[in-house]
mmCIF file of all heavy atoms in Angstrom:
data_model
loop_
_atom_site.group_PDB
_atom_site.id
_atom_site.type_symbol
_atom_site.label_atom_id
_atom_site.label_comp_id
_atom_site.label_asym_id
_atom_site.label_seq_id
_atom_site.Cartn_x
_atom_site.Cartn_y
_atom_site.Cartn_z
ATOM 1 N N ALA A 117 47.316 -27.721 -9.030
ATOM 2 C CA ALA A 117 47.106 -28.683 -10.118
ATOM 3 C C ALA A 117 46.228 -29.844 -9.692
ATOM 4 O O ALA A 117 45.403 -30.335 -10.482
ATOM 5 C CB ALA A 117 48.457 -29.190 -10.624
ATOM 6 N N TRP A 118 46.353 -30.312 -8.446
ATOM 7 C CA TRP A 118 45.566 -31.465 -8.037
ATOM 8 C C TRP A 118 44.088 -31.132 -7.951
ATOM 9 O O TRP A 118 43.237 -32.004 -8.184
ATOM 10 C CB TRP A 118 46.080 -32.049 -6.713
ATOM 11 C CG TRP A 118 45.730 -31.286 -5.470
ATOM 12 C CD1 TRP A 118 46.491 -30.346 -4.845
ATOM 13 C CD2 TRP A 118 44.537 -31.423 -4.688
ATOM 14 N NE1 TRP A 118 45.849 -29.869 -3.714
ATOM 15 C CE2 TRP A 118 44.656 -30.524 -3.601
ATOM 16 C CE3 TRP A 118 43.389 -32.211 -4.802
ATOM 17 C CZ2 TRP A 118 43.654 -30.385 -2.635
ATOM 18 C CZ3 TRP A 118 42.388 -32.074 -3.832
ATOM 19 C CH2 TRP A 118 42.531 -31.172 -2.769
ATOM 20 N N VAL A 119 43.756 -29.869 -7.640
ATOM 21 C CA VAL A 119 42.349 -29.471 -7.589
ATOM 22 C C VAL A 119 41.770 -29.433 -9.004
ATOM 23 O O VAL A 119 40.618 -29.824 -9.232
ATOM 24 C CB VAL A 119 42.191 -28.110 -6.891
ATOM 25 C CG1 VAL A 119 40.719 -27.713 -6.810
ATOM 26 C CG2 VAL A 119 42.796 -28.143 -5.496
ATOM 27 N N LYS A 120 42.580 -28.985 -9.964
ATOM 28 C CA LYS A 120 42.133 -29.016 -11.353
ATOM 29 C C LYS A 120 41.962 -30.461 -11.825
ATOM 30 O O LYS A 120 41.007 -30.777 -12.545
ATOM 31 C CB LYS A 120 43.128 -28.275 -12.238
ATOM 32 C CG LYS A 120 43.225 -26.788 -11.937
ATOM 33 C CD LYS A 120 44.214 -26.096 -12.856
ATOM 34 C CE LYS A 120 44.370 -24.632 -12.496
ATOM 35 N NZ LYS A 120 45.316 -23.932 -13.395
ATOM 36 N N ALA A 121 42.876 -31.335 -11.417
ATOM 37 C CA ALA A 121 42.748 -32.753 -11.766
ATOM 38 C C ALA A 121 41.459 -33.329 -11.181
ATOM 39 O O ALA A 121 40.746 -34.095 -11.845
ATOM 40 C CB ALA A 121 43.960 -33.531 -11.264
ATOM 41 N N GLN A 122 41.164 -32.967 -9.953
ATOM 42 C CA GLN A 122 39.927 -33.422 -9.309
ATOM 43 C C GLN A 122 38.714 -32.921 -10.070
ATOM 44 O O GLN A 122 37.746 -33.670 -10.295
ATOM 45 C CB GLN A 122 39.895 -32.924 -7.866
ATOM 46 C CG GLN A 122 38.612 -33.238 -7.127
ATOM 47 C CD GLN A 122 38.650 -32.707 -5.699
ATOM 48 O OE1 GLN A 122 38.833 -33.454 -4.754
ATOM 49 N NE2 GLN A 122 38.489 -31.403 -5.542
ATOM 50 N N ALA A 123 38.736 -31.647 -10.491
ATOM 51 C CA ALA A 123 37.613 -31.078 -11.239
ATOM 52 C C ALA A 123 37.434 -31.789 -12.575
ATOM 53 O O ALA A 123 36.302 -32.078 -12.990
ATOM 54 C CB ALA A 123 37.838 -29.584 -11.456
ATOM 55 N N ILE A 124 38.529 -32.087 -13.256
ATOM 56 C CA ILE A 124 38.451 -32.801 -14.532
ATOM 57 C C ILE A 124 37.858 -34.184 -14.323
ATOM 58 O O ILE A 124 36.999 -34.636 -15.092
ATOM 59 C CB ILE A 124 39.849 -32.878 -15.169
ATOM 60 C CG1 ILE A 124 40.299 -31.486 -15.627
ATOM 61 C CG2 ILE A 124 39.863 -33.865 -16.334
ATOM 62 C CD1 ILE A 124 41.759 -31.400 -15.993
ATOM 63 N N SER A 125 38.287 -34.866 -13.275
ATOM 64 C CA SER A 125 37.744 -36.191 -12.987
ATOM 65 C C SER A 125 36.246 -36.119 -12.700
ATOM 66 O O SER A 125 35.465 -36.950 -13.179
ATOM 67 C CB SER A 125 38.479 -36.800 -11.789
ATOM 68 O OG SER A 125 37.902 -38.031 -11.414
ATOM 69 N N ARG A 126 35.839 -35.147 -11.924
ATOM 70 C CA ARG A 126 34.403 -34.987 -11.650
ATOM 71 C C ARG A 126 33.634 -34.768 -12.952
ATOM 72 O O ARG A 126 32.550 -35.337 -13.147
ATOM 73 C CB ARG A 126 34.176 -33.804 -10.709
ATOM 74 C CG ARG A 126 34.608 -34.018 -9.268
ATOM 75 C CD ARG A 126 34.384 -32.740 -8.492
ATOM 76 N NE ARG A 126 34.792 -32.840 -7.096
ATOM 77 C CZ ARG A 126 34.842 -31.804 -6.267
ATOM 78 N NH1 ARG A 126 34.518 -30.590 -6.699
ATOM 79 N NH2 ARG A 126 35.217 -31.966 -5.015
ATOM 80 N N ALA A 127 34.175 -33.923 -13.834
ATOM 81 C CA ALA A 127 33.488 -33.643 -15.096
ATOM 82 C C ALA A 127 33.340 -34.915 -15.924
ATOM 83 O O ALA A 127 32.290 -35.159 -16.531
ATOM 84 C CB ALA A 127 34.244 -32.573 -15.874
ATOM 85 N N PHE A 128 34.377 -35.744 -15.953
ATOM 86 C CA PHE A 128 34.270 -37.031 -16.642
ATOM 87 C C PHE A 128 33.134 -37.859 -16.046
ATOM 88 O O PHE A 128 32.431 -38.583 -16.761
ATOM 89 C CB PHE A 128 35.590 -37.803 -16.530
ATOM 90 C CG PHE A 128 36.530 -37.565 -17.677
ATOM 91 C CD1 PHE A 128 37.429 -36.514 -17.640
ATOM 92 C CD2 PHE A 128 36.518 -38.397 -18.781
ATOM 93 C CE1 PHE A 128 38.306 -36.293 -18.685
ATOM 94 C CE2 PHE A 128 37.391 -38.186 -19.832
ATOM 95 C CZ PHE A 128 38.291 -37.123 -19.794
ATOM 96 N N GLY A 129 32.958 -37.761 -14.749
ATOM 97 C CA GLY A 129 31.912 -38.527 -14.087
ATOM 98 C C GLY A 129 30.510 -38.085 -14.452
ATOM 99 O O GLY A 129 29.549 -38.840 -14.260
ATOM 100 N N TYR A 130 30.369 -36.867 -14.966
ATOM 101 C CA TYR A 130 29.048 -36.363 -15.355
ATOM 102 C C TYR A 130 28.697 -36.700 -16.801
ATOM 103 O O TYR A 130 27.557 -36.455 -17.231
ATOM 104 C CB TYR A 130 28.980 -34.843 -15.172
ATOM 105 C CG TYR A 130 29.111 -34.405 -13.729
ATOM 106 C CD1 TYR A 130 29.985 -33.374 -13.366
ATOM 107 C CD2 TYR A 130 28.369 -35.016 -12.728
ATOM 108 C CE1 TYR A 130 30.108 -32.974 -12.050
ATOM 109 C CE2 TYR A 130 28.490 -34.614 -11.409
ATOM 110 C CZ TYR A 130 29.369 -33.594 -11.077
ATOM 111 O OH TYR A 130 29.486 -33.199 -9.772
ATOM 112 N N LEU A 131 29.637 -37.246 -17.549
ATOM 113 C CA LEU A 131 29.361 -37.563 -18.947
ATOM 114 C C LEU A 131 28.160 -38.495 -19.086
ATOM 115 O O LEU A 131 27.949 -39.387 -18.257
ATOM 116 C CB LEU A 131 30.591 -38.206 -19.596
ATOM 117 C CG LEU A 131 31.763 -37.263 -19.879
ATOM 118 C CD1 LEU A 131 32.995 -38.054 -20.291
ATOM 119 C CD2 LEU A 131 31.398 -36.249 -20.965
ATOM 120 N N ASP A 132 27.387 -38.257 -20.118
ATOM 121 C CA ASP A 132 26.205 -39.050 -20.492
ATOM 122 C C ASP A 132 24.972 -38.746 -19.637
ATOM 123 O O ASP A 132 23.917 -39.345 -19.877
ATOM 124 C CB ASP A 132 26.498 -40.553 -20.446
ATOM 125 C CG ASP A 132 27.588 -40.961 -21.426
ATOM 126 O OD1 ASP A 132 27.651 -40.360 -22.514
ATOM 127 O OD2 ASP A 132 28.373 -41.870 -21.107
ATOM 128 N N ARG A 133 25.096 -37.844 -18.655
ATOM 129 C CA ARG A 133 23.875 -37.469 -17.932
ATOM 130 C C ARG A 133 23.055 -36.519 -18.805
ATOM 131 O O ARG A 133 23.602 -35.779 -19.622
ATOM 132 C CB ARG A 133 24.221 -36.808 -16.596
ATOM 133 C CG ARG A 133 24.972 -37.743 -15.672
ATOM 134 C CD ARG A 133 25.033 -37.249 -14.252
ATOM 135 N NE ARG A 133 25.975 -38.068 -13.473
ATOM 136 C CZ ARG A 133 26.183 -37.945 -12.186
ATOM 137 N NH1 ARG A 133 25.515 -37.037 -11.487
ATOM 138 N NH2 ARG A 133 27.052 -38.728 -11.564
ATOM 139 N N PRO A 134 21.734 -36.530 -18.641
ATOM 140 C CA PRO A 134 20.894 -35.697 -19.506
ATOM 141 C C PRO A 134 20.988 -34.214 -19.172
ATOM 142 O O PRO A 134 21.455 -33.833 -18.089
ATOM 143 C CB PRO A 134 19.481 -36.230 -19.227
ATOM 144 C CG PRO A 134 19.573 -36.818 -17.854
ATOM 145 C CD PRO A 134 20.959 -37.372 -17.723
ATOM 146 N N TYR A 135 20.557 -33.410 -20.123
ATOM 147 C CA TYR A 135 20.508 -31.960 -19.918
ATOM 148 C C TYR A 135 19.345 -31.620 -18.990
ATOM 149 O O TYR A 135 18.282 -32.232 -19.058
ATOM 150 C CB TYR A 135 20.334 -31.238 -21.254
ATOM 151 C CG TYR A 135 20.472 -29.741 -21.162
ATOM 152 C CD1 TYR A 135 21.733 -29.155 -21.125
ATOM 153 C CD2 TYR A 135 19.352 -28.921 -21.109
ATOM 154 C CE1 TYR A 135 21.875 -27.774 -21.050
ATOM 155 C CE2 TYR A 135 19.482 -27.540 -21.040
ATOM 156 C CZ TYR A 135 20.750 -26.975 -21.002
ATOM 157 O OH TYR A 135 20.882 -25.614 -20.909
ATOM 158 N N ASP A 136 19.561 -30.646 -18.128
ATOM 159 C CA ASP A 136 18.543 -30.267 -17.149
ATOM 160 C C ASP A 136 17.724 -29.093 -17.675
ATOM 161 O O ASP A 136 18.094 -27.931 -17.495
ATOM 162 C CB ASP A 136 19.213 -29.895 -15.825
ATOM 163 C CG ASP A 136 18.202 -29.618 -14.722
ATOM 164 O OD1 ASP A 136 16.981 -29.752 -14.985
ATOM 165 O OD2 ASP A 136 18.613 -29.258 -13.616
ATOM 166 N N PHE A 137 16.622 -29.401 -18.313
ATOM 167 C CA PHE A 137 15.779 -28.346 -18.867
ATOM 168 C C PHE A 137 15.024 -27.582 -17.784
ATOM 169 O O PHE A 137 14.424 -26.540 -18.059
ATOM 170 C CB PHE A 137 14.805 -28.930 -19.890
ATOM 171 C CG PHE A 137 15.478 -29.396 -21.155
ATOM 172 C CD1 PHE A 137 15.821 -30.730 -21.321
ATOM 173 C CD2 PHE A 137 15.791 -28.495 -22.158
ATOM 174 C CE1 PHE A 137 16.457 -31.159 -22.486
ATOM 175 C CE2 PHE A 137 16.431 -28.915 -23.325
ATOM 176 C CZ PHE A 137 16.763 -30.253 -23.485
ATOM 177 N N ASP A 138 15.063 -28.078 -16.535
ATOM 178 C CA ASP A 138 14.441 -27.358 -15.418
ATOM 179 C C ASP A 138 15.432 -26.436 -14.710
ATOM 180 O O ASP A 138 15.046 -25.709 -13.789
ATOM 181 C CB ASP A 138 13.870 -28.359 -14.398
ATOM 182 C CG ASP A 138 12.674 -29.114 -14.937
ATOM 183 O OD1 ASP A 138 11.924 -28.523 -15.747
ATOM 184 O OD2 ASP A 138 12.484 -30.288 -14.570
ATOM 185 N N PHE A 139 16.707 -26.482 -15.078
ATOM 186 C CA PHE A 139 17.741 -25.636 -14.466
ATOM 187 C C PHE A 139 17.740 -25.782 -12.948
ATOM 188 O O PHE A 139 17.778 -24.805 -12.207
ATOM 189 C CB PHE A 139 17.557 -24.168 -14.876
ATOM 190 C CG PHE A 139 17.829 -23.915 -16.329
ATOM 191 C CD1 PHE A 139 16.864 -24.178 -17.296
ATOM 192 C CD2 PHE A 139 19.057 -23.426 -16.743
ATOM 193 C CE1 PHE A 139 17.119 -23.968 -18.639
ATOM 194 C CE2 PHE A 139 19.317 -23.203 -18.087
ATOM 195 C CZ PHE A 139 18.350 -23.482 -19.037
ATOM 196 N N ASP A 140 17.693 -27.020 -12.493
ATOM 197 C CA ASP A 140 17.609 -27.314 -11.060
ATOM 198 C C ASP A 140 19.001 -27.665 -10.531
ATOM 199 O O ASP A 140 19.503 -28.766 -10.764
ATOM 200 C CB ASP A 140 16.634 -28.474 -10.829
ATOM 201 C CG ASP A 140 16.480 -28.809 -9.355
ATOM 202 O OD1 ASP A 140 16.990 -28.062 -8.505
ATOM 203 O OD2 ASP A 140 15.847 -29.842 -9.054
ATOM 204 N N PHE A 141 19.625 -26.737 -9.800
ATOM 205 C CA PHE A 141 20.963 -26.957 -9.259
ATOM 206 C C PHE A 141 20.936 -27.779 -7.969
ATOM 207 O O PHE A 141 21.987 -28.061 -7.410
ATOM 208 C CB PHE A 141 21.649 -25.617 -8.999
ATOM 209 C CG PHE A 141 22.369 -25.058 -10.205
ATOM 210 C CD1 PHE A 141 21.683 -24.815 -11.398
ATOM 211 C CD2 PHE A 141 23.713 -24.780 -10.160
ATOM 212 C CE1 PHE A 141 22.325 -24.309 -12.498
ATOM 213 C CE2 PHE A 141 24.383 -24.270 -11.268
ATOM 214 C CZ PHE A 141 23.688 -24.041 -12.436
ATOM 215 N N ALA A 142 19.760 -28.170 -7.500
ATOM 216 C CA ALA A 142 19.681 -28.963 -6.269
ATOM 217 C C ALA A 142 20.019 -30.423 -6.507
ATOM 218 O O ALA A 142 20.307 -31.161 -5.567
ATOM 219 C CB ALA A 142 18.279 -28.841 -5.660
ATOM 220 N N SER A 143 20.010 -30.863 -7.759
ATOM 221 C CA SER A 143 20.268 -32.259 -8.088
ATOM 222 C C SER A 143 21.292 -32.341 -9.210
ATOM 223 O O SER A 143 21.356 -31.454 -10.074
ATOM 224 C CB SER A 143 18.967 -32.948 -8.521
ATOM 225 O OG SER A 143 19.224 -34.193 -9.139
ATOM 226 N N ASP A 144 22.097 -33.414 -9.211
ATOM 227 C CA ASP A 144 23.063 -33.597 -10.292
ATOM 228 C C ASP A 144 22.673 -34.747 -11.217
ATOM 229 O O ASP A 144 23.489 -35.242 -11.986
ATOM 230 C CB ASP A 144 24.463 -33.818 -9.732
ATOM 231 C CG ASP A 144 24.587 -35.120 -8.933
ATOM 232 O OD1 ASP A 144 23.572 -35.835 -8.795
ATOM 233 O OD2 ASP A 144 25.693 -35.412 -8.451
ATOM 234 N N GLN A 145 21.419 -35.185 -11.154
ATOM 235 C CA GLN A 145 20.969 -36.250 -12.046
ATOM 236 C C GLN A 145 20.895 -35.778 -13.491
ATOM 237 O O GLN A 145 21.009 -36.574 -14.422
ATOM 238 C CB GLN A 145 19.602 -36.775 -11.592
ATOM 239 C CG GLN A 145 19.626 -37.395 -10.203
ATOM 240 C CD GLN A 145 20.689 -38.476 -10.094
ATOM 241 O OE1 GLN A 145 20.677 -39.455 -10.832
ATOM 242 N NE2 GLN A 145 21.631 -38.308 -9.162
ATOM 243 N N SER A 146 20.660 -34.492 -13.683
ATOM 244 C CA SER A 146 20.739 -33.855 -14.990
ATOM 245 C C SER A 146 21.374 -32.485 -14.762
ATOM 246 O O SER A 146 21.248 -31.914 -13.677
ATOM 247 C CB SER A 146 19.344 -33.726 -15.633
ATOM 248 O OG SER A 146 18.451 -33.030 -14.782
ATOM 249 N N LEU A 147 22.073 -31.979 -15.782
ATOM 250 C CA LEU A 147 22.864 -30.771 -15.579
ATOM 251 C C LEU A 147 22.755 -29.815 -16.761
ATOM 252 O O LEU A 147 22.608 -30.236 -17.905
ATOM 253 C CB LEU A 147 24.346 -31.113 -15.374
ATOM 254 C CG LEU A 147 24.714 -32.010 -14.194
ATOM 255 C CD1 LEU A 147 24.865 -33.453 -14.671
ATOM 256 C CD2 LEU A 147 26.004 -31.557 -13.533
ATOM 257 N N VAL A 148 22.872 -28.507 -16.440
ATOM 258 C CA VAL A 148 23.024 -27.488 -17.471
ATOM 259 C C VAL A 148 24.508 -27.171 -17.613
ATOM 260 O O VAL A 148 25.334 -27.631 -16.819
ATOM 261 C CB VAL A 148 22.223 -26.208 -17.139
ATOM 262 C CG1 VAL A 148 20.740 -26.508 -17.113
ATOM 263 C CG2 VAL A 148 22.671 -25.603 -15.829
ATOM 264 N N CYS A 149 24.832 -26.361 -18.605
ATOM 265 C CA CYS A 149 26.250 -26.159 -18.934
ATOM 266 C C CYS A 149 27.054 -25.584 -17.770
ATOM 267 O O CYS A 149 28.119 -26.110 -17.415
ATOM 268 C CB CYS A 149 26.370 -25.273 -20.167
ATOM 269 S SG CYS A 149 25.770 -23.570 -19.972
ATOM 270 N N SER A 150 26.571 -24.519 -17.154
ATOM 271 C CA SER A 150 27.323 -23.900 -16.066
ATOM 272 C C SER A 150 27.349 -24.778 -14.827
ATOM 273 O O SER A 150 28.265 -24.661 -13.998
ATOM 274 C CB SER A 150 26.734 -22.529 -15.733
ATOM 275 O OG SER A 150 25.355 -22.644 -15.409
ATOM 276 N N GLU A 151 26.370 -25.676 -14.706
ATOM 277 C CA GLU A 151 26.351 -26.569 -13.551
ATOM 278 C C GLU A 151 27.491 -27.580 -13.621
ATOM 279 O O GLU A 151 28.022 -28.002 -12.577
ATOM 280 C CB GLU A 151 25.006 -27.297 -13.469
ATOM 281 C CG GLU A 151 24.801 -28.067 -12.176
ATOM 282 C CD GLU A 151 23.434 -28.705 -12.095
ATOM 283 O OE1 GLU A 151 22.652 -28.604 -13.069
ATOM 284 O OE2 GLU A 151 23.141 -29.321 -11.047
ATOM 285 N N VAL A 152 27.895 -27.975 -14.819
ATOM 286 C CA VAL A 152 29.046 -28.869 -14.949
ATOM 287 C C VAL A 152 30.289 -28.200 -14.371
ATOM 288 O O VAL A 152 31.056 -28.802 -13.615
ATOM 289 C CB VAL A 152 29.262 -29.258 -16.429
ATOM 290 C CG1 VAL A 152 30.554 -30.037 -16.581
ATOM 291 C CG2 VAL A 152 28.096 -30.076 -16.956
ATOM 292 N N VAL A 153 30.491 -26.914 -14.702
ATOM 293 C CA VAL A 153 31.630 -26.165 -14.163
ATOM 294 C C VAL A 153 31.482 -25.993 -12.664
ATOM 295 O O VAL A 153 32.422 -26.221 -11.889
ATOM 296 C CB VAL A 153 31.741 -24.796 -14.865
ATOM 297 C CG1 VAL A 153 32.824 -23.939 -14.210
ATOM 298 C CG2 VAL A 153 32.021 -24.973 -16.348
#
């Protein structure tokens, strides 16, 4: 459960970042849907 809690907290931290139209997984400044997971 604590790992799921950590994942949920991380996801909250990504809110409001822009969508990554370059699909670049090397950076988290912008993200695609599967990159959030």
Side-chain angles (χ1 to χ4, degrees):
W118 76 266
V119 181
K120 295 181 184 181
Q122 175 180 256
I124 291 168
S125 175
R126 288 177 181 171
F128 268 88
Y130 295 132
L131 287 170
D132 298 325
R133 298 194 190 185
Y135 188 80
D136 185 2
F137 290 96
D138 291 328
F139 292 81
D140 181 8
F141 274 58
S143 166
D144 65 359
Q145 298 306 301
S146 56
L147 300 97
V148 296
C149 65
S150 57
E151 190 177 3
V152 173
V153 174

